[in-house]
């Protein structure tokens, strides 16, 4: 029996990873369709042909913060905050602050210390500034994401919709 080359094994592994990733995307799409606003996201984008993948964009967006992450739970929490900041950056600046206030109040409910609120506000402000500075032309609204831990690495699946560029005011 002929031996398979190392390259062949790598190709097979990549094909398996692609199939697993596609299954994760399909699960994410199903989850969103079955959610309370599923009918509102008919134009959801997961893997646009010829376009940049939002999973790659999100990974690049959070890259400077990954050094502070120790486990998958922290990674997921970072992604949740990053997605929130990303989407906040897409709404008009005059509506942004009240939305941040509501998010912090809801997200830190029961965690009373003022310091946590200030820390969360600083993190959101920093991420929003990063979005507006480095990703201003990307007006996709992130609906949801799914994080998959394969043991050796993490894969992110992202569902997003294209927003009218007028909604974003990246000139602030």
């Amino acid at each position: 029996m002929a031996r398979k080359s190392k390259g062949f094994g790598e190709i097979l592994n990549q094909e398996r990873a692609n199939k697993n990733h596609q299954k994760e995307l399909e699960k994410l799409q199903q989850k969103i369709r079955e959610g309370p606003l599923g009918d509102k996201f008919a134009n959801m984008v997961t893997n646009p042909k010829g376009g940049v993948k939002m999973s790659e964009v999100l990974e690049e967006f959070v890259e400077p913060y990954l050094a502070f992450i120790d486990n998958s739970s922290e990674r997921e929490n970072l992604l949740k905050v990053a997605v929130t900041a990303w989407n906040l950056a897409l709404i008009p600046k005059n509506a942004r602050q009240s939305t941040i206030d509501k998010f912090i109040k809801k997200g830190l409910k029961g965690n009373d210390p003022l310091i946590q609120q200030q820390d969360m506000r600083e993190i959101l402000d920093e991420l929003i500034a990063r979005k507006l500075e480095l990703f201003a032309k990307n007006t996709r609204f992130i609906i949801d994401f799914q994080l998959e831990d394969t043991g050796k690495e993490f894969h992110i699946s992202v569902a997003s919709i294209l927003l009218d560029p007028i909604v974003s005011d990246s000139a602030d």
Side-chain angles (χ1 to χ4, degrees), residues 3-16:
R3 279 187 42 152
K4 295 177 183 157
S5 71
K6 182 178 178 184
F8 181 76
E10 289 174 5
I11 291 170
L12 280 177
N13 286 339
Q14 183 62 43
E15 284 181 16
R16 282 187 200 120

Side-chain angles (χ1 to χ4, degrees), residues 104 108-120:
I104 289 174
L108 296 177
K109 192 175 185 176
N111 298 331
D112 185 41
L114 183 62
I115 294 172
Q116 286 184 329
Q117 291 180 17
Q118 290 172 336
D119 288 347
M120 181 58 74

Side-chain angles (χ1 to χ4, degrees), residues 54 57-58 60-62 65 82-91 96 123-142 163 165 168-170 172:
M54 277 306 288
V57 172
L58 184 56
E60 184 180 343
F61 182 56
V62 300
Y65 305 92
V83 165
T84 299
W86 179 278
N87 290 338
L88 285 167
L90 293 172
I91 64 174
R96 196 177 299 149
I123 292 167
L124 285 171
D125 288 344
E126 186 177 315
L127 285 165
I128 289 168
R130 180 172 170 74
K131 159 62 173 106
L132 294 173
E133 181 182 336
L134 301 175
F135 303 90
K137 293 184 181 192
N138 189 325
T139 60
R140 288 194 213 159
F141 184 87
I142 300 173
L163 290 182
S168 177
D169 66 344
S170 58
D172 46 0

Side-chain angles (χ1 to χ4, degrees), residues 16-34 41 44-49 52-56 58-59 140 142-148 155-160:
R16 282 187 200 120
N18 288 343
K19 284 181 184 179
N20 286 339
H21 185 67
Q22 188 60 37
K23 285 179 185 177
E24 291 301 318
L25 282 174
E26 289 168 7
K27 280 189 216 174
L28 181 58
Q29 287 174 321
Q30 186 66 29
K31 175 183 164 189
I32 291 167
R33 273 193 227 90
E34 291 173 356
F41 299 119
M44 178 175 47
V45 179
T46 51
N47 253 343
K49 295 208 182 337
V52 64
K53 292 180 176 183
M54 277 306 288
S55 57
E56 293 172 1
L58 184 56
E59 286 181 49
R140 288 194 213 159
I142 300 173
I143 300 168
D144 203 353
F145 73 92
Q146 191 162 322
L147 182 64
E148 179 189 7
H155 290 283
I156 304 171
S157 300
V158 176
S160 63

Side-chain angles (χ1 to χ4, degrees), residues 53-99:
K53 292 180 176 183
M54 277 306 288
S55 57
E56 293 172 1
V57 172
L58 184 56
E59 286 181 49
E60 184 180 343
F61 182 56
V62 300
E63 193 275 326
Y65 305 92
L66 293 176
F68 305 105
I69 300 301
D70 293 323
N71 56 52
S72 61
S73 175
E74 289 179 2
R75 183 178 296 263
E76 183 148 2
N77 287 336
L78 169 64
L79 289 170
K80 287 177 184 176
V81 172
V83 165
T84 299
W86 179 278
N87 290 338
L88 285 167
L90 293 172
I91 64 174
K93 188 175 183 177
N94 60 357
R96 196 177 299 149
Q97 198 56 51
S98 66
T99 307

